Amino acid sequence: MKKILAIDDQQDNLVTIKAVLKSYLGDCNVITALSGELGLEIARREQPDTIVLDIIMPKMDGYECCRLLKSDELTSHIPILMLTAIKTDTDSRVRGLELGADAFLSKPIDPIELSAQVKVLLRIKEVEDKLKRDKLSLKDTVIKKTFQLKESEQKYKALFENAPLPYQSLSEEGKYLDVNPAWVKLLGYSREDVIDSYYKDY
């Protein structure tokens, strides 16, 4: 079930947002907060899939709340839709987007537009979550493969070093990369003498 956090200092607005989202999105959990401070706390704790944030609020306005949400590692990945009835000019919209908001909507709320915007943000969040899961899975695979390679390399090295027969490792140009102790013992050269030398010299 998708989790949406609505932050607005007006209870009536929260009731409207909740009713619209429940009506148009169906199975979703809409959590509400009556202040920016409470919204920050709930966002950190609940990890919603998107946040609908009013701009004009006392103490902490929506701009400051957005800035704090986007600068916090726990909440920076959550898409934010900013709502306003007053700050509808281009500068206000740009300011919100530059602070990290993902979308901007003017009041009065059009139910279809609000639900459409929230659906888009939910899709964005879903894709980002999948990318994060894929990245973690890839990281785990790399760690496992690296461990297996190291283990394999150690086994190969042990076999090479302890083999009773002389073995050598050559580059494509025919230069010695390594020789094992049996090779050194048989031919009487030290490893240091041989490494990087052309094999025909020996």
Side-chain angles (χ1 to χ4, degrees):
M1 181 185 294
K2 297 297 182 187
K3 205 183 291 183
I4 301 161
L5 171 60
I7 306 171
D8 195 310
D9 64 314
Q10 300 296 316
Q11 185 64 45
D12 291 350
N13 290 342
L14 291 174
V15 169
T16 302
I17 290 167
K18 191 169 188 172
V20 166
L21 294 176
K22 287 273 192 188
S23 174
Y24 283 85
L25 299 180
D27 195 23
C28 66
N29 180 16
V30 182
I31 309 160
T32 59
L34 278 165
S35 70
E37 295 87 350
L38 182 59
L40 287 171
E41 184 186 313
I42 291 171
R44 288 183 186 116
R45 185 181 67 239
E46 295 292 331
Q47 293 294 298
D49 294 294
T50 195
I51 297 171
V52 178
L53 174 63
D54 186 39
I55 291 178
I56 307 298
M57 296 187 289
K59 293 184 184 175
M60 181 190 292
D61 67 9
Y63 292 127
E64 179 62 9
C65 186
C66 180
R67 186 188 69 76
L68 292 170
L69 284 164
K70 289 300 182 175
S71 62
D72 187 330
E73 198 176 311
L74 288 173
T75 55
S76 62
H77 62 286
I78 304 169
I80 297 174
L81 168 62
M82 295 191 96
L83 294 177
T84 187
I86 298 169
K87 303 265 186 183
T88 58
D89 58 286
T90 302
D91 289 343
S92 297
R93 289 171 180 265
V94 168
R95 183 179 174 201
L97 294 170
E98 284 179 345
L99 286 169
D102 300 276
F104 207 103
L105 198 58
S106 299
K107 293 177 183 176
I109 294 169
D110 178 281
I112 295 170
E113 189 177 3
L114 173 65
S115 59
Q117 291 267 22
V118 169
K119 282 178 185 176
V120 167
L121 295 182
L122 290 172
R123 283 199 305 270
I124 290 169
K125 176 73 166 44
E126 202 171 289
V127 169
E128 285 184 356
D129 287 348
K130 184 184 182 313
L131 286 171
K132 279 182 188 171
R133 285 192 304 272
D134 290 350
K135 186 178 176 182
L136 284 173
S137 174
L138 182 61
K139 189 177 178 181
D140 285 347
T141 302
V142 168
I143 289 169
K144 284 176 190 168
K145 292 291 180 190
T146 303
F147 177 76
Q148 288 171 350
L149 282 170
K150 282 183 180 174
E151 206 174 43
S152 182
E153 184 183 350
Q154 287 169 350
K155 285 179 185 174
Y156 164 77
K157 189 151 183 71
L159 285 170
F160 185 80
E161 291 292 323
N162 299 314
L165 298 173
Y167 285 107
Q168 61 198 17
S169 175
L170 299 173
S171 70
E172 287 181 15
E173 297 82 28
K175 289 188 175 182
Y176 286 103
L177 296 172
D178 203 359
V179 292
N180 72 347
W183 190 99
V184 169
K185 187 176 178 184
L186 178 71
L187 295 175
Y189 296 101
S190 71
R191 251 187 191 165
E192 293 72 26
D193 292 336
V194 176
I195 302 306
D196 250 357
S197 300
Y198 190 53
Y199 80 100
K200 283 190 177 178
D201 295 342
Y202 299 87

